[in-house]
Amino acid sequence: MDSHTEVFAVIGNPVKHSLSPFMHNFAFEFLNLNGVYTAFEVSDLESAVKGIRGLGIKGVSVTVPHKENIIKYLDEISDSSLKIGAVNTLTNKNGILEGDNTDWKGFILSLKEHSKIKDRKTLVIGAGGASRGVCYGLASENADIYITNRTKSKGIELAKDFDGEFVGFEEIEKLEPEIIINTTSVGMYPDIDKSPVEKTVFKTKGTAIDIVYNPLNTKFLKEASMSGFKTVSGVGMFVYQGGLQFEKWTNTRFPFQIMKEKIFHKLMKG
Ligand code: ATR
């Protein structure tokens, strides 16, 4: 680090568990770029954004719980962020703060490595912020979208926004979806013995993908696999959304495959 080092960070709360600093710092080093990436636990978002402007921080990853609230403090917002209602990427272009969303694209790139998407009968579990990004991506790929959620009203609302159809938990067994996506945090460490759905949902052969990446093999994915489904962990999505941010900030190609292996091994070791 020297006086030319460009500073990047993730802001969230909590954020100390984040693997983003590990990932981005590895990339800076690997690509021999003079950048550094750290983590800020932020409770006062407005002041944090002022700090980004004041200090000239070049790029920021935005995570829970700030993805929605940060929009009002930014100067420009991408179309995808507006439709999703969330920003995960802030880019400081000479004092103009731009908000974008790479979560949806990261999800699609990860799923595409394992399955076709167009016209596939796709069940999205959950109707929170993460689900909106997933639905945006699925809609852009013309998937046949079905949404289920514990709170029916939220699921119906989301289905309306993305031309999908709501199905109650009691109906999903009959649906026989080809792609099933967990967008809830159910099954995430330390609640690893939980799955958001009964295993009877895995009927026809298909692909199950989890946005959770810790643990790598969630109960949801284990049950999918036992029923003959192909399974995809959240690592791919995590690496793609971060790599897309990195490329936006640095105009440099990100080492996606190498990084996936790095993160995978790090999580395996625990
Ligand atoms: P995020 O922004 O990370 O998506 P969120 O907006 O709090 O987080 O949404 C979490 C999603 O997980 C919601 O769909 C939530 O269901 P509700 O709308 O009924 O709250 C779902 N969820 C969380 N805990 C759950 C649980 N124990 N069982 C089923 N669904 C759960």
Side-chain angles (χ1 to χ4, degrees), residues 138-192:
L138 291 172
S140 72
E141 295 289 326
N142 296 308
D144 191 8
I145 304 175
Y146 293 82
I147 295 164
T148 193
N149 193 49
R150 182 178 59 181
T151 308
K152 193 173 170 184
S153 56
K154 273 167 73 183
I156 290 173
E157 198 62 30
L158 182 68
K160 237 190 263 162
D161 281 355
F162 292 98
D163 265 340
E165 198 175 305
F166 179 79
V167 282
F169 272 123
E170 64 291 348
E171 300 165 282
I172 57 178
E173 253 184 59
K174 282 182 274 164
L175 192 66
E176 303 198 354
E178 298 164 282
I179 299 173
I180 306 181
I181 305 148
N182 175 34
T183 73
T184 76
S185 52
V186 179
M188 193 190 283
Y189 182 83
D191 286 325
I192 59 171

